[in-house]
Amino acid sequence: MSEDRPAARNVLAVIPPHMGGRSTGAGLAGLVPGARVTVVESADEDPAALREARAIITALAPVTAGHIAAAPALELVQCASHGYDYVDLDAARARSVTVCNIGSSGAEAQNVAEQTFALMLALAKQVVPAHTALTEADWALPRIQQSLTELSGKTLGIVGLGSVGREVARRALAFDMRIAYTGRRRAPADTESRLGDARFLPLDELLRVSDYVSLHAPLTPDTRHLLDAGRLALLRPTAFLVNTARGALVDQDALADALTAGTLAGAGIDVFDPEPPTAALRLLKAPNVVLSPHVGGVTRETLVRIALSAVQNVVDHLAGEPPRDVVS
């Protein structure tokens, strides 16, 4: 059978420009032996490659119902991330197309946890306003001194104690923080014990008692705007919110309102809805925020782990092996 036929080992790798585009995906072809790998920056870019693809690897690029309909040979959509909200799962199910993430690989966990603490420390120590003031020859210490705080002794509320959430909790122990968490189910007792006798709380109670809240939940229809205006109002005015998971977990306008009103001490945000954010996003101009452009999970080391994990699942699928981390 010709390699150009739909049943051949054709793989479409979709890497949008804001994730590095074709230059980032240039090395993928050599990781899938015996396959024809086409790297594009959107799934619409090469209709012929989409039509012939048996597998799509997507790095946060949308795979819509239209894309799935236009790919009659498609068997697998492999998300190069923990998240999978950018794939139309209903359309995939209707076509019996398997959708996988890299959830069990832990590829992103280390760096996302580090980015979480980078944001927490920047907020606690007022790093950004202090730096900006000094570049303008302004000795800001008298002005920011009352806003400086410590992590030690504070309660960190973790929303989602998966692989990333557990890495965040481990680091929190090194800062002598107390740990509370919430999620769909309670963690085993030995996990709680290893994490400093972490407390399992309902979400609303966790928001009320936490000094820092860090989001590590997947984005699903049930978790979209999980933190809306009502839930943000449960946070103490001295509390900080950190989101390194998905932008749409938070009502961004409501968060901007809370920061502007001073009912929340600050926020560290690495993820936005949409990405990249538009200039009209009020959160970009809100007070007491530290922002980063979705850098959690994209260090040199992390990208290698992500790529290897995603590609290995595709290689296994093409070889007839059952895929890992099936989400639909």
Side-chain angles (χ1 to χ4, degrees):
M1 183 173 290
S2 168
E3 186 179 74
D4 294 328
R5 298 285 297 279
R9 294 164 58 87
N10 294 322
V11 177
L12 185 68
V14 190
I15 306 176
H18 70 277
M19 295 301 293
R22 273 179 288 274
S23 60
T24 295
L28 288 178
L31 299 177
V32 191
R36 185 179 73 177
V37 179
T38 303
V39 179
V40 295
E41 294 187 344
S42 79
D44 303 308
E45 183 180 317
D46 190 330
L50 176 62
R51 183 174 61 252
E52 297 173 359
R54 282 180 63 191
I56 293 175
I57 300 173
T58 171
L60 303 181
V63 178
T64 67
H67 297 143
I68 293 170
L74 188 62
E75 300 168 353
L76 173 70
V77 175
Q78 175 63 55
C79 300
S81 63
H82 277 74
Y84 47 87
D85 48 284
Y86 48 93
V87 178
D88 191 319
L89 298 183
D90 290 335
R93 290 189 198 101
R95 274 277 315 281
S96 298
V97 172
T98 301
V99 180
C100 298
N101 69 354
I102 59 166
S104 68
S105 70
E108 297 173 299
Q110 298 287 340
N111 187 49
V112 176
E114 289 182 5
Q115 182 64 18
T116 297
F117 267 87
L119 293 171
M120 288 171 60
L121 286 165
L123 290 165
K125 308 306 177 187
Q126 295 287 289
V127 171
V128 173
H131 169 83
T132 302
L134 281 169
T135 62
E136 298 171 355
D138 174 10
W139 186 255
L141 178 59
R143 189 171 65 258
I144 68 172
Q145 188 170 7
Q146 291 186 342
S147 300
L148 299 174
T149 186
E150 300 176 351
L151 300 188
S152 177
K154 302 299 191 299
T155 296
L156 171 62
I158 298 174
V159 181
L161 199 68
S163 59
V164 176
R166 290 193 299 272
E167 288 298 323
V168 170
R170 287 201 315 112
R171 286 158 176 78
L173 292 179
F175 283 90
D176 295 323
M177 301 184 80
R178 297 183 295 268
I179 299 166
Y181 74 97
T182 193
R184 288 175 294 179
R185 62 185 66 88
R186 185 169 183 171
D190 62 333
T191 298
E192 292 183 342
S193 178
R194 286 197 304 272
L195 299 178
D197 294 324
R199 292 183 295 157
F200 179 69
L201 298 174
L203 175 58
D204 289 0
E205 180 63 16
L206 178 138
L207 296 175
R208 290 188 182 97
V209 304
S210 296
D211 300 294
Y212 291 82
V213 172
S214 188
L215 303 183
H216 302 288
L219 179 61
T220 68
D222 290 337
T223 61
R224 180 172 292 274
H225 287 190
L226 181 69
L227 268 59
D228 56 12
R231 283 210 165 110
L232 289 170
L234 299 177
L235 288 160
R236 300 169 178 175
T238 55
F240 297 95
L241 174 67
V242 176
N243 188 6
T244 56
R246 284 291 183 269
L249 292 174
V250 181
D251 182 330
Q252 295 173 130
D253 282 330
L255 178 56
D257 288 339
L259 291 165
T260 301
T263 57
L264 185 64
I269 305 296
D270 186 51
V271 287
F272 303 88
D273 179 30
E275 288 188 351
T278 67
L281 181 65
R282 294 172 51 223
L283 191 56
L284 302 182
K285 304 296 184 183
N288 302 320
V289 294
V290 179
L291 308 173
S292 54
H294 204 150
V295 300
V298 293
T299 59
R300 292 188 299 272
E301 300 91 341
T302 304
L303 287 174
V304 170
R305 292 193 296 266
I306 290 172
L308 291 176
S309 178
V311 167
Q312 188 60 55
N313 225 15
V314 171
V315 169
D316 290 347
H317 173 76
L318 294 176
E321 300 292 330
R324 297 173 306 283
D325 300 316
V326 175
V327 297
S328 176

